[in-house]
Structure formats: C-alpha cells, structure tokens
Amino acid sequence: MPSSADRPGVLVVGAGPTGLLVAAELARRGVRTRIVERATLRPPGSRALAVSSRTLMLLDDLGLAAEAVRRGRPLRQVEVHDVSGRHDAGGSREAGRRAGTVVRLPIDRVPSPFPFTLSLPQPQIEDLLRSHAARLGVRIETGAECVAVRQEDEHVVAVLRHANGSTRTVLADWLVGCDGAHSQVRHTAGIATHGYDLPETFALGDVVTDWARERAHGQVTFSPAGVVAAFPMPGPRHWRFIADLPDTAGSHSDDRADLDLAELQRLLDERLPDPPRLTEAIWTTTFRVHQRRAETFRRGRVLLAGDAAHSHSPVGGQGMNTGLQDAYALAWRLALVATGRADAALLDTYAAEREPVADRLLAGTARATRVITAQHPVARQARGLALRLVAASPPLGRRAAAALSQLGLGYPDGPLTEREPSRTGRRRGVPDPGALAPDVALAPDAALAPDIALAPDIALAAPDGPTLRQATRTPWFSLLLFAGGDDDAARRLHDDAALIRARFGDLVIARVVATAPAGRNTGDGPSGRAHSGHAHSGRAHSGGDGAVLDPAGRARARYGAAIGEAVLVRPDGYLAYRSTADHVGRLERYLRAHGIAPAPAGAAAPASTTAAGRTS
C-alpha cells in the first residue's frame, strides 16, 4: 500500500500537451500532482501543428507565449486555389491544367494580442509545457501504463504496469485521463464512446522543399484529382502537405501503408498548378478520421480531457487546441475541489460545459471535411461561392476567424454563467456573461490595427503594450470594478475591494479600473500582483493604490460598463456575471451557489475532498 507521503492529490495519465497543462495548472494552485506516461520515447513525427490565438493567450498566462512565437511561424492568411483544368497525361502540365480563382481568407482579424495562427509542431509545445511543469515540481514517470482503475469512496486505485512487466498500485484522490484516443483510463473506468468514421483516408507529409509560395500563408488547393492543404513549418524550407487519397482498394482501411516521398510527389504533381520539388521527407503517414466522443467527461473521481474525451477530423487544426482548453477549464475547478475549497459537484460543470463544445467540434469538423473533399460539380461551385463571400465580407471573415482561433467560443448557457434579465439594450460587441473576457490595450498611445479599430465587435490589444489581461492576472477569480474618472465611485469601489480582500483572501482579486490613480490603498498583497517573468507585468499599468490604470477609458468602453459596475472573470478567462450593486454580497452569493467556499487567505484547507459526487 502506498504511503500517504507518496500519494498524489491528482494522478494524471498521459504526458501529452493536455496532461502536462492539467498537471502544471494543478501544481500552480498547490495541488500535489503526478503524471504517468506509457511511452519511454517520444512518438515520431510533428503531429499537431496549429496553435490558435486562444491557446497563445493561455500560454501567455503561463509566461510561455513569447518563446512559442519565437520558435514558430505566424500565419495570417489562407490562400485558397481552385484549379479548374484537369491534367492530361498526354500533354504538358502547363497545357493540361489551368490555375483557377484564388481566394484570400484573412485569419488575423481577431481580438487578441496574438492575431494569427502559429505554426509550431506539437513536440515543441510539449517541451515548453514539460519544462514549465518541472519548474512547478511536477513529477513525470515514463514507462508506466495505467491498465486498471477502481474507484472507492475516498480515492481512486490505479494499477500501473511497467515496461518490465511488473505492476504496482497507486492511490490518488482524483485521476485525469489524458491518454489519447485509445484511452485505457476511459476503457477501464467503464466510460463508453459514441461516434462514427469518415470514409476519407488522408496522406500527410512533413517535407523539405524550395516551394515558392508565401510562407506567411496557409495554402489550400482544390482540383478534380483531390484537395491539397499546405502549411509552412518552422525551418526555412519545411512544409506540411495533406491530401485526400483515392480508395484504390475499394474499401477503407486503417492498415494502409504510409506513403513514401515519391508517392507524395505524384499527388502534388497531379493537383497543384505549381508543384514543388520535394527533396527530403521528415515524416510521412496516412490516417483515417475517427469521430468519437466519450459519453461523459466525468465519472465519479475519474475525469477525461483531450483526445481521451473526443477525437475528430484535423481540418481546422482544432485538436490539440481543444485539448488544452479542456485542461484549462478543468484544472482550476479540480484544484478548488482537491484543496477542499469547493464541493465536488463543481466538477460536473466541467462536463456540462465541455461536452457540448466537443459535440459542436465533431459536427463542425465532419462537415468541413465533407465540404473540402467534395467533388460533385454543384458542391464545388457552392464551395467556391461560399469562400468568395467570406473573403468579401469583413463580418463573415471575422466570424470565421473567431471560430478558427477559438476566441468565439463561450458558455452563455453554462451552469456557471449568471445573467441579469433586466439588463437589456447593451450595445453590439459588448461581452455578456459566458463570453471570453476581452483583452484591451491600456496605454493611451498603444497602436491598434486600423481595420480592427473600425469594427464594433473587435477590440484588438496591441501585443507590444500593457493590456488589461496582463494587469489582472491571478490563478483564481478576478473582479473588475469600473470607476472610470469618477473619484467618488473609485473610493466606494476601493472600499469594496478591501472588504473582498478581507473576506475572500486570494480566491478573488478585486481590481478597480480607473482613468487615474486614487488616494486609497486596498492593501493588496503579493497574491494580487501579476505574474512575474512576463514582458509587461500588471504593475506596469497599475496605480500605487492597486487600481488598474486605463487612461484612455478603453477597458470600460470595451466592456460597456457603467460607472460602478462589476464584472467577475472566472479563472479560465470567461465572464461569470455582471452586477451594478452590492458587489460583496453578490460575489458571496455566486460562490456559495456553485459550492465554492469563500475563505480568507491562510485558511487551512483539508488535505482531501469529501464525496466524489456524480458517479454515472
């Protein structure tokens, strides 16, 4: 029987990006966490490639975004080519094929300090997160496969099998399965999956080539022979190509052999008007798309995240990003429960919010896969028309970019979202509860992109200046109290902030957002300050009284906040509620309604939790 000193509060199974982030976020909040990973060596290939704008904001909260951007290649546009001719084997390529229309889809019109999709292979993200987790004291054990899970009243029993065949038993308060699409945790916990397979088979190749296409853009080419998507990778001559494969055998199989460089070259020669010469294969593979979702993301003390919870088409580059958002959404809830600051029922809100996200993701990626592989003339014509409409319409373009970047995702009907029916008539573009809290450039001279400044539903924070998000970072809840330039309101709000600090400790950091510093001090201690190690700390734009200085009033305008209004931001960056009165009482009612115990800083927390809550 393991000793209590060796027993983790949370055992994470799987050391991919999702598992690493879950463990790091738990450790950052004081939860004893361990990771076990079956593999002793990293799997081959670059695997996931796209890092969304929302994920970069998440990495920025951890102090990792700058290094990720330095290593990667930002993509700001997707060029869509429609090759209208057909290659004639008896004639020249130039005579037999004509380059058709080119549609340019901007993907940088998003409200983020990172207005692009970053091309950065998954192993690079794993390296950043692994180092981050190690700095926080997370222990990672490789060569240990979780082969059985048994739940008991107060803990989970996990049986680990090592490479030499030996087994051992580990007890933990909670277990998080992040062990991929074939999750053994999911299987042994008795959680079924539902879904279906798409008929298409795809080829993927990471190659070296001197292709002349623009390396700040993704590329998609439709041809009568099939579709080719291409994305520049870090490295001066590295590209990824993805193409659908014909079903030459008459049936679809997962056992199809990986293609070689010559076969990939032939596919590109058939489909591209300007095929590159491939000189080296870094990694090639073929795959089929399995659309699967676990029937539940929580069963008692076992939770699922990432591919263990959902797997789907890679179209749109949503897989790794969605897994990281699962981890971010889960970790703060699990940390509150594991440290005895919240009832275990709070974990049901993770499943309630993320399961519909997975359902929409599976439906959307399946639909997108069918659209891009469609070859019927009517379907091709409709596809081309739709792409031209999106490219020509700024609102449609921004909506598409928001979906791709995951910045448009929210929880307006989520169990942790509280609306006020009486508040109607808010102007367009102002965030309601459930929306992602927008970031705002605080410096009055910070440059905004000119086309964005004209869009009422976009407020792009300058990545090289102080922002509201940087000035209000905290591991837990953040309450924004908007004073504007009203000194009387500022004084009242500072009194509220002081009461919140005394009553809730580090669980809620209240910040008065004002156009000028006030003459009061809220007594914020170190827990109220922004993280160190970032390019711009919160103190870079905070007054000596703990207020966030918003000289140009951009933050209040972007939030559409009245003088004296409060906005509660959840630990994962989404708006929980807005209120205009009784800020201290309103906050306490919200926390208690969701099983979160308001406890001042320094209050002792139980070492483990009580009942595990839902078990089916």
mmCIF file of all heavy atoms in Angstrom, residues 433-449:
data_model
loop_
_atom_site.group_PDB
_atom_site.id
_atom_site.type_symbol
_atom_site.label_atom_id
_atom_site.label_comp_id
_atom_site.label_asym_id
_atom_site.label_seq_id
_atom_site.Cartn_x
_atom_site.Cartn_y
_atom_site.Cartn_z
ATOM 1 N N PRO A 433 -22.208 37.818 -19.927
ATOM 2 C CA PRO A 433 -21.745 36.663 -19.166
ATOM 3 C C PRO A 433 -21.696 35.405 -20.034
ATOM 4 O O PRO A 433 -22.589 35.157 -20.842
ATOM 5 C CB PRO A 433 -22.795 36.543 -18.055
ATOM 6 C CG PRO A 433 -23.243 37.947 -17.834
ATOM 7 C CD PRO A 433 -23.268 38.556 -19.213
ATOM 8 N N GLY A 434 -20.638 34.646 -19.854
ATOM 9 C CA GLY A 434 -20.405 33.470 -20.666
ATOM 10 C C GLY A 434 -19.408 33.696 -21.779
ATOM 11 O O GLY A 434 -18.822 32.744 -22.302
ATOM 12 N N ALA A 435 -19.188 34.955 -22.161
ATOM 13 C CA ALA A 435 -18.231 35.267 -23.223
ATOM 14 C C ALA A 435 -16.815 35.309 -22.666
ATOM 15 O O ALA A 435 -16.598 35.494 -21.465
ATOM 16 C CB ALA A 435 -18.571 36.615 -23.861
ATOM 17 N N LEU A 436 -15.841 35.145 -23.548
ATOM 18 C CA LEU A 436 -14.446 35.305 -23.161
ATOM 19 C C LEU A 436 -14.191 36.764 -22.807
ATOM 20 O O LEU A 436 -14.584 37.667 -23.541
ATOM 21 C CB LEU A 436 -13.535 34.883 -24.313
ATOM 22 C CG LEU A 436 -12.028 34.957 -24.060
ATOM 23 C CD1 LEU A 436 -11.616 33.944 -22.995
ATOM 24 C CD2 LEU A 436 -11.259 34.711 -25.355
ATOM 25 N N ALA A 437 -13.572 36.990 -21.661
ATOM 26 C CA ALA A 437 -13.274 38.360 -21.246
ATOM 27 C C ALA A 437 -12.317 38.990 -22.249
ATOM 28 O O ALA A 437 -11.224 38.470 -22.489
ATOM 29 C CB ALA A 437 -12.647 38.363 -19.851
ATOM 30 N N PRO A 438 -12.696 40.096 -22.877
ATOM 31 C CA PRO A 438 -11.825 40.679 -23.899
ATOM 32 C C PRO A 438 -10.591 41.325 -23.299
ATOM 33 O O PRO A 438 -10.623 41.839 -22.179
ATOM 34 C CB PRO A 438 -12.721 41.718 -24.575
ATOM 35 C CG PRO A 438 -13.773 42.044 -23.569
ATOM 36 C CD PRO A 438 -13.961 40.812 -22.741
ATOM 37 N N ASP A 439 -9.516 41.278 -24.052
ATOM 38 C CA ASP A 439 -8.307 41.972 -23.651
ATOM 39 C C ASP A 439 -8.324 43.358 -24.285
ATOM 40 O O ASP A 439 -8.912 43.563 -25.342
ATOM 41 C CB ASP A 439 -7.071 41.198 -24.101
ATOM 42 C CG ASP A 439 -5.844 41.543 -23.271
ATOM 43 O OD1 ASP A 439 -5.982 42.297 -22.291
ATOM 44 O OD2 ASP A 439 -4.752 41.058 -23.604
ATOM 45 N N VAL A 440 -7.700 44.305 -23.628
ATOM 46 C CA VAL A 440 -7.734 45.699 -24.065
ATOM 47 C C VAL A 440 -6.369 46.313 -23.851
ATOM 48 O O VAL A 440 -5.744 46.111 -22.796
ATOM 49 C CB VAL A 440 -8.797 46.498 -23.275
ATOM 50 C CG1 VAL A 440 -8.907 47.925 -23.810
ATOM 51 C CG2 VAL A 440 -10.151 45.815 -23.331
ATOM 52 N N ALA A 441 -5.895 47.072 -24.839
ATOM 53 C CA ALA A 441 -4.658 47.824 -24.666
ATOM 54 C C ALA A 441 -4.909 48.987 -23.721
ATOM 55 O O ALA A 441 -5.837 49.773 -23.910
ATOM 56 C CB ALA A 441 -4.160 48.332 -26.017
ATOM 57 N N LEU A 442 -4.101 49.113 -22.662
ATOM 58 C CA LEU A 442 -4.311 50.150 -21.655
ATOM 59 C C LEU A 442 -3.566 51.438 -21.966
ATOM 60 O O LEU A 442 -4.033 52.524 -21.637
ATOM 61 C CB LEU A 442 -3.878 49.633 -20.280
ATOM 62 C CG LEU A 442 -4.676 48.446 -19.743
ATOM 63 C CD1 LEU A 442 -4.084 47.971 -18.419
ATOM 64 C CD2 LEU A 442 -6.146 48.803 -19.564
ATOM 65 N N ALA A 443 -2.387 51.342 -22.570
ATOM 66 C CA ALA A 443 -1.599 52.546 -22.842
ATOM 67 C C ALA A 443 -2.343 53.431 -23.839
ATOM 68 O O ALA A 443 -2.836 52.953 -24.858
ATOM 69 C CB ALA A 443 -0.224 52.179 -23.391
ATOM 70 N N PRO A 444 -2.440 54.747 -23.573
ATOM 71 C CA PRO A 444 -3.205 55.618 -24.472
ATOM 72 C C PRO A 444 -2.607 55.723 -25.854
ATOM 73 O O PRO A 444 -3.305 56.027 -26.813
ATOM 74 C CB PRO A 444 -3.174 56.976 -23.750
ATOM 75 C CG PRO A 444 -2.011 56.898 -22.823
ATOM 76 C CD PRO A 444 -1.896 55.468 -22.419
ATOM 77 N N ASP A 445 -1.300 55.438 -25.983
ATOM 78 C CA ASP A 445 -0.668 55.550 -27.293
ATOM 79 C C ASP A 445 -0.448 54.197 -27.954
ATOM 80 O O ASP A 445 0.232 54.088 -28.960
ATOM 81 C CB ASP A 445 0.677 56.271 -27.191
ATOM 82 C CG ASP A 445 1.616 55.585 -26.192
ATOM 83 O OD1 ASP A 445 1.145 54.704 -25.450
ATOM 84 O OD2 ASP A 445 2.813 55.945 -26.162
ATOM 85 N N ALA A 446 -1.030 53.113 -27.385
ATOM 86 C CA ALA A 446 -0.857 51.781 -27.982
ATOM 87 C C ALA A 446 -1.550 51.741 -29.331
ATOM 88 O O ALA A 446 -2.675 52.198 -29.493
ATOM 89 C CB ALA A 446 -1.433 50.712 -27.061
ATOM 90 N N ALA A 447 -0.854 51.195 -30.304
ATOM 91 C CA ALA A 447 -1.383 51.170 -31.664
ATOM 92 C C ALA A 447 -2.353 50.013 -31.835
ATOM 93 O O ALA A 447 -2.081 48.898 -31.428
ATOM 94 C CB ALA A 447 -0.245 51.038 -32.665
ATOM 95 N N LEU A 448 -3.494 50.314 -32.457
ATOM 96 C CA LEU A 448 -4.451 49.284 -32.814
ATOM 97 C C LEU A 448 -4.453 49.134 -34.321
ATOM 98 O O LEU A 448 -4.224 50.089 -35.057
ATOM 99 C CB LEU A 448 -5.857 49.650 -32.331
ATOM 100 C CG LEU A 448 -6.043 49.797 -30.819
ATOM 101 C CD1 LEU A 448 -7.477 50.189 -30.528
ATOM 102 C CD2 LEU A 448 -5.677 48.531 -30.100
ATOM 103 N N ALA A 449 -4.698 47.910 -34.777
ATOM 104 C CA ALA A 449 -4.763 47.693 -36.216
ATOM 105 C C ALA A 449 -5.865 48.568 -36.801
ATOM 106 O O ALA A 449 -6.990 48.581 -36.300
ATOM 107 C CB ALA A 449 -5.043 46.225 -36.505
#
